[in-house]
Amino acid sequence: MKKPETIYTCVKCDAQTSKWSGRCLECGAWGGLREADGTQNDAETERISAGKPGQIKSFQTETPTRAEMKSTRLKALDDVLGGGLVDGSVTLLAGEPGIGKSTILAQTAIALAASGLKVVYVTGEESPAQIHRRLERLATPLPSSLFFLDETDAGTVAATISKEQPGLTIVDSIQTLRTAEVGGEPGNLNQVKASAALVTEAAKYSHAPVILVGQVTKDNEVAGPRVLEHLVDTVLYLEGDRQHRYRMLRALKHRFGPTDEVALLAMTERGLEIVEDPSSELLRDRAMGIAGSAVSCLIEGHRPLLIEIQALASPAGYGTPIRRATGVDTSRLGMLLAVLARRAGVNALDKDVYANAAGGIDARDPSVDLALAAAIAGAVKNVALDPRTAIFGEIGLGGELRPVSMPEIRLKELARMGFKTVVMPKRQSGKPPAGLDIKEASTLDEALRLLGL
Ligand code: TYD
Ligand code: MG
């Protein structure tokens, strides 16, 4: 039998190598490589036994204590956080410029201060005068316990949090803080990380919750919120299209609660307001009886959301036909146009095609494929779908329909919203809700026929 190869392990970093050398090639430590012969050498034993063992507990008999949450006095934030903010926690609110981060935080700042809590708004992104103007648009008179700190030095912000121990501190934004501890301009990677670390330490130490605003830019994400995800307890994203009315607030990471809660918000003259019944709001203004419109159902978090998908096709001028998509995937649109032409005899390849998800909602989800394809087919053939018919399903390159997740939840929502017929892929399981006529198809061609297209 061949003797197994000797493996050496570095006692510093655990890197393994089959060649002994005086220095670990991974961590650079000298004299740390030991032969891993199955038994522990002295150095290893010493390292493992250096700490005191902890107490393991059974989940069956022990109920771990949950962190106590305090309401933000804003339903959308509370919903997404699973109750509110935890003392000493650091939450990152990320989103593109202009999406409404400062607005929603101004709203919670006002509401919390009105309840008597000391709230400190650290200004850096905008001047205190600009923040003041926004606050006054949202409430007058402003509560007396709403303070601002015009400061960009992270150490000063941290020290202020430790001294004042506010009920909430808002840092707008983390990219504007800097610290002399590291080099570089405010907003660069090291500055953002070091500044956030200082503020986080102060928050933990003072049991004071902090919300950091993180600007996300489409092109340059380098010094953006991603670098902070590991440092903070919670990451919230405010998403949407700033030209449109709706915003989606969701948790991407959350140490204290669920990450599958989302809230739909609408930008109004009174700030961001929660949409209580998203499906009915999103379908309210839909174009009935017009060719090129189809209703589908998304799952956001774990909730269903009905959405209108629209398409418009017109003869292309010279050159490459235009493909424009908002809220739906442009490459998916191209793929569906090819599948429609090859597998279902609907040719829009020589046409300019525009497609969108109404309301600026992000519907880049394969479960809306069939609705998008039906909207395009309707637009090309100038046939309007029955307004009480809804459609969902993913389409494969062969024109085959693929099942989507949580069909029961989607069907229930469609029934609740008064839909009568649903065209969808062959169902995996489950009984459809009463009053809903389910038409199952296994190909795009078959689905279009069921829809009268
Ligand atoms: P803002 O909160 O400044 O965005 P961010 O901090 O994410 O960069 O919001 C910007 C938009 O919101 C701006 O175009 C104005 C609009 N807005 C309203 O429509 N209603 C309001 O009550 C407020 C305060 C802002
Ligand atoms: Mg802002």
Side-chain angles (χ1 to χ4, degrees), residues 90 152-158 161 171 173-202 210 212 228 231:
V90 179
T152 54
D153 181 72
T156 308
V157 172
I161 292 170
V171 178
S173 67
I174 188 63
Q175 275 95 350
T176 58
L177 290 196
R178 61 184 163 73
T179 166
E181 285 183 9
V182 294
E185 293 293 307
N188 87 15
L189 190 67
N190 290 334
Q191 283 288 353
V192 167
K193 281 208 264 194
S195 299
L198 280 172
V199 173
T200 300
E201 208 176 302
V210 172
L212 306 174
L228 297 177
L231 192 72

Side-chain angles (χ1 to χ4, degrees), residues 91-97 99 101 105 125 171-175 192 211-217 223-226 228 236-238:
T91 302
L92 177 69
L93 175 63
E96 285 174 20
I99 206 71
K101 301 179 297 297
L105 293 178
E125 191 76 37
V171 178
D172 192 357
S173 67
I174 188 63
Q175 275 95 350
V192 167
I211 300 180
L212 306 174
V213 170
Q215 298 286 12
V216 181
T217 48
R226 295 228 83 108
L228 297 177
L236 302 181
Y237 264 82
L238 187 59

Side-chain angles (χ1 to χ4, degrees), residues 103 107 137-138 268-273:
T103 301
Q107 288 173 261
R137 264 190 67 181
L138 296 165
T268 72
E269 39 316 324
R270 295 174 305 283
L272 283 165
E273 291 191 342

